[in-house]
Amino acid sequence: MSESLSLAARAAYILRDNSTGLITKASPTLYPHQWSWDAAFNAIGLATVDLPRARLELDALFAGQWRNGMVPHIVFDPAADGYWPGPAQWQCARFNEDAPAAPATSGIIDPPVHAIAVDRILAVAAAKGGREDELTLGWAAHLYPKLLAWHRFLARDRTDKSTGLITLFHGWESGTDNSPRWDIPYGNVLVGPDLPAYTRRDKAHVSSVGQRPTDREYDRYLWLVEEAKEAGYDAGLLRESGSFQVGDVLFTAIYAAASDLLASFAARLRKPDDAAELKDYAAQARAAVFCHVDEASGLAADVDLRTGSWLRTETVAGFAPLIAGGMPRYLRQRLVTLLTGPRWAGHPALKWPLPPSTSPCSPAFNPECYWRGPVWPVFTWLLTWALHRSGEHALAARLRETSLEQLGDETYAEYYHPMTGAPLGSLNQSWTAAAALDWLLDREAA
């Protein structure tokens, strides 16, 4: 119990220290703004200790929602500086009339975990009961039209007609920036001679530059921002001109799960037409994920939409069907066996039996480089949430307990070396602390 209290207290202090009063910075220095899917996870953690602050977190994020329903991947804090590319590089309101003049935002998206966060916050409030439950339900009803507009945007502007998968125009939109999932499509991005000069500041915030993407990768990342500006951040134009276009199975799976939850909330609000629409989004997205499972490996595969080629790389995104939910039991068991087996969490060289971001058996595996090998606690949280939802309670509990052991050093790192357990990336990362708080709440309630 004392260890749990220490972990919880440290996690709560991190969220408090990273708070500006309105938003929670993704980390103390490396990420001083509000990232979209970070904010959703942060709100989940905040709900365990401060429901009003959890509600405010998502309100602040959706203040940056575009008129077309898009939720941008960054909402910039005007009081913070030093992050690149910042508002002056994105210039969203200049290039697209749907973008808000204030707050300034980026022009791309993040995975749509927000309805998952709202569902979790509602559950915490219901357990508390009384006035907080009433206030939280009213808040969620007020936020609902914005969530619906966000899901409609993804259905209308980002769903690829040929595959049914959500289209990404930048690897950053996946949340797994430099994952080997994207090596082939990034390799086809030709950086033009007029790429604006820039100075990388992210490498100053880690103990080794090997923990971060390379300069060559960053050139491509920033060139894709220039492409998006040239297209006015318009999905239709980017489908014609964008040099990076992929169908993302993980993003699509999250969309399926979130649409299901939002449909249930729509029904609760007595909006049957909305509920039917959202259930349809979920069903189509789930079917698209299941249709892109590679028979040989058992993992779901992304698609390079410019060539039609499947991207068969052994990354945790391959477990997208577990997150989408609704799998036949025999197929779910195949993925669960794979997840716990020697190519993944059961690999004998791992410090903790937790799934790395890339399989240690893959030629692309790099144990200390960002999404190319390290273990990300926030992704483990997403897996435990999905496994619990589908009835795999024992495995979910085992991954949760092991993750809490991993976090016992209380550094709350962005990600961890899978073989040594060393903390990597930015320390005191908000969403890592948030995941721990939610796990601890679940464990104490069990």
Side-chain angles (χ1 to χ4, degrees):
M1 179 65 76
S2 60
E3 291 181 2
S4 296
L5 288 174
S6 176
L7 275 174
R10 178 64 184 145
Y13 281 132
I14 287 171
L15 290 176
R16 183 199 65 181
D17 292 347
N18 288 347
S19 174
T20 69
L22 179 63
I23 68 166
T24 303
K25 294 180 289 185
S27 71
T29 54
L30 179 54
Y31 307 111
H33 303 288
Q34 189 180 41
W35 268 255
S36 174
W37 75 326
D38 293 66
F41 289 114
N42 293 342
I44 290 169
L46 284 165
T48 68
V49 292
D50 189 344
L51 275 165
R53 185 65 188 78
R55 298 190 295 258
L56 180 62
E57 188 71 26
L58 289 180
D59 285 341
L61 176 70
F62 276 84
Q65 186 173 31
W66 289 27
R67 189 169 55 189
N68 61 3
M70 189 184 92
V71 177
H73 99 298
I74 301 176
V75 175
F76 290 104
D77 177 4
D81 58 18
Y83 179 81
W84 206 95
Q89 285 73 46
W90 291 97
Q91 301 182 73
C92 293
R94 173 186 169 190
F95 288 98
N96 191 302
E97 62 182 11
D98 286 327
T105 75
S106 67
I108 60 176
I109 58 178
D110 255 352
V113 292
H114 312 91
I116 297 173
V118 171
D119 182 75
R120 188 69 185 128
I121 293 167
L122 284 168
V124 173
K128 289 183 178 295
R131 181 62 174 159
E132 280 297 346
D133 185 25
E134 181 183 341
L135 286 171
T136 303
L137 182 57
W139 162 81
H142 180 75
L143 186 64
Y144 168 77
K146 298 180 180 181
L147 289 165
L148 179 62
W150 170 217
H151 281 239
R152 283 174 169 167
F153 166 83
L154 291 170
R156 181 188 67 240
D157 288 12
R158 289 302 191 97
T159 300
D160 176 62
K161 289 181 173 57
S162 63
T163 64
L165 299 173
I166 300 293
T167 304
L168 306 187
F169 298 110
H170 199 302
W172 282 347
E173 295 192 310
S174 70
T176 63
D177 305 7
N178 75 329
S179 172
R181 308 165 69 189
W182 312 133
D183 285 357
I184 292 174
Y186 269 137
N188 294 323
V189 175
L190 301 178
V191 178
D194 50 345
L195 177 70
Y198 66 96
T199 301
R200 288 187 63 180
R201 303 180 184 182
D202 60 306
K203 293 190 288 188
H205 295 275
V206 293
S207 58
S208 165
V209 295
Q211 298 173 28
R212 300 291 298 170
T214 66
D215 288 347
R216 182 177 175 83
E217 287 171 321
Y218 249 83
D219 284 351
R220 288 170 173 154
Y221 299 160
L222 298 171
W223 181 250
L224 293 176
V225 174
E226 295 302 308
E227 284 189 354
K229 288 160 65 175
E230 181 68 23
Y233 299 109
D234 180 86
L237 293 177
L238 280 169
R239 288 186 191 280
E240 298 175 6
S241 62
S243 57
F244 182 102
Q245 298 183 46
V246 299
D248 182 341
V249 287
L250 176 58
F251 195 115
T252 307
I254 292 171
Y255 180 56
S259 293
D260 267 336
L261 292 175
L262 196 57
S264 295
F265 189 59
R268 187 176 179 183
L269 295 176
R270 299 182 180 178
K271 297 179 180 293
D273 291 344
D274 289 358
E277 176 186 347
L278 288 159
K279 285 179 181 177
D280 190 49
Y281 294 162
Q284 292 185 44
R286 187 175 297 109
V289 173
F290 293 169
C291 285
H292 289 89
V293 173
D294 179 61
E295 183 60 32
S297 70
L299 297 172
D302 304 300
V303 178
D304 186 335
L305 297 176
R306 299 185 76 211
T307 65
S309 301
W310 285 29
L311 303 170
R312 295 175 173 87
T313 311
E314 287 186 287
T315 74
V316 287
F319 295 100
L322 291 177
I323 293 168
M327 295 183 75
R329 181 172 175 79
Y330 76 96
L331 290 177
R332 187 171 78 240
Q333 283 303 307
R334 182 186 182 189
L335 269 184
V336 165
T337 300
L338 184 61
L339 178 65
T340 56
R343 299 192 74 84
W344 288 94
H347 192 281
L350 298 179
K351 171 71 172 177
W352 305 103
L354 296 167
S357 48
T358 300
S359 170
C361 299
S362 168
F365 177 70
N366 181 333
E368 71 166 19
C369 186
Y370 213 42
W371 285 97
R372 302 185 74 87
V375 173
W376 287 70
V378 72
F379 192 86
T380 307
W381 183 94
L382 189 60
L383 275 175
T384 62
W385 172 85
L387 288 165
H388 182 77
R389 186 167 176 250
S390 64
E392 300 289 342
H393 303 299
L395 178 55
R398 190 161 76 244
L399 291 175
R400 182 185 68 212
E401 294 300 318
T402 305
S403 293
L404 287 171
E405 290 180 36
Q406 179 191 48
L407 297 176
D409 65 356
E410 297 187 13
T411 60
Y412 289 100
E414 190 176 6
Y415 43 96
Y416 289 79
H417 195 293
M419 275 66 179
T420 68
L424 301 173
S426 174
L427 304 185
N428 301 319
Q429 190 82 5
S430 293
W431 66 1
T432 306
L437 281 171
D438 191 74
W439 274 326
L440 288 163
L441 174 75
D442 263 2
R443 185 167 71 172
E444 295 304 323

